[in-house]
């Protein structure tokens, strides 16, 4: 009862499982598509598309529109996320944007300012500035 935490999803994080890595201090701007697991610890601006897993480390900063299978975020994100499988927000993650996913886990210490949509498979989020699931003026 006490002292036990629920087991985290079995997402492989071995170095050999990660197929691409953008390290701390590096910057990239553009469109990224990938298969298998990618880890970002640098600065990325643009769009990311994949059916696989994107891992953003604590030093990672994204200004991006993201559509992936799974997102594991420990860094900073400004933009919208659509994940077909799940989103994991791990401390000290900071998110400013909207998330659409069927499964969301949030650790204590995460900052999330945006809207969340969870209905089975994640629907596409509308573009910036449009009226989405959260109507203006509602709390």
């Amino acid at each position: 009862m006490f002292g036990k935490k629920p087991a985290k999803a079995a997402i492989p994080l071995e170095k050999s499982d990660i197929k691409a890595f953008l390290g701390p201090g590096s910057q990239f701007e553009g469109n990224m598509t990938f298969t298998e697991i990618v880890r970002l610890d640098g600065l990325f601006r643009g769009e990311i598309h994949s059916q696989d897993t994107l891992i953003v480390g604590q030093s990672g900063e994204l200004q991006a529109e993201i559509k992936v299978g799974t997102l594991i975020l420990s860094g900073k994100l400004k933009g919208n996320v659509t994940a077909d499988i799940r989103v994991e927000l791990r401390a000290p993650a900071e998110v400013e944007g909207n998330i659409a996913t069927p499964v969301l886990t949030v650790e204590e210490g995460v900052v999330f300012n945006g809207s969340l949509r969870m209905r089975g498979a994640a629907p596409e989020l509308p573009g910036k500035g449009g009226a989405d699931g959260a109507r203006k003026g509602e709390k």
Side-chain angles (χ1 to χ4, degrees):
M1 181 172 174
F2 293 104
K4 287 190 175 183
K5 291 185 179 182
K8 289 189 179 184
I11 303 282
L13 296 177
E14 298 291 323
K15 288 182 181 180
S16 62
D17 293 330
I18 296 172
K19 300 304 178 192
F21 179 72
L22 182 66
S26 58
Q27 296 183 24
F28 184 81
E29 189 169 335
N31 294 322
M32 180 185 297
T33 58
F34 60 89
T35 57
E36 302 191 43
I37 300 171
V38 169
R39 181 177 174 112
L40 300 176
D41 284 317
L43 174 63
F44 179 88
R45 290 185 194 96
E47 294 184 14
I48 299 173
H49 299 275
S50 178
Q51 293 300 308
D52 217 311
T53 301
L54 173 64
I55 301 168
V56 181
Q58 290 184 12
S59 63
E61 292 187 39
L62 281 69
Q63 296 174 10
E65 297 298 310
I66 300 171
K67 177 151 181 22
V68 292
T70 298
L71 172 65
I72 301 172
L73 179 74
S74 300
K76 296 180 182 179
L77 168 65
K78 185 172 185 177
N80 297 317
V81 175
T82 301
D84 294 329
I85 300 169
R86 69 184 302 115
V87 172
E88 294 182 23
L89 301 178
R90 298 182 179 175
E94 295 180 23
V95 178
E96 185 177 324
N98 303 313
I99 297 175
T101 184
V103 177
L104 174 70
T105 59
V106 182
E107 287 185 353
E108 186 175 338
V110 167
V111 175
F112 173 46
N113 291 307
S115 66
L116 173 64
R117 181 172 290 173
M118 297 176 71
R119 288 189 199 144
E124 289 289 326
L125 287 170
K128 297 177 186 175
D132 59 353
R135 287 179 228 130
K136 292 183 180 181
E138 273 189 10
K139 294 195 178 195

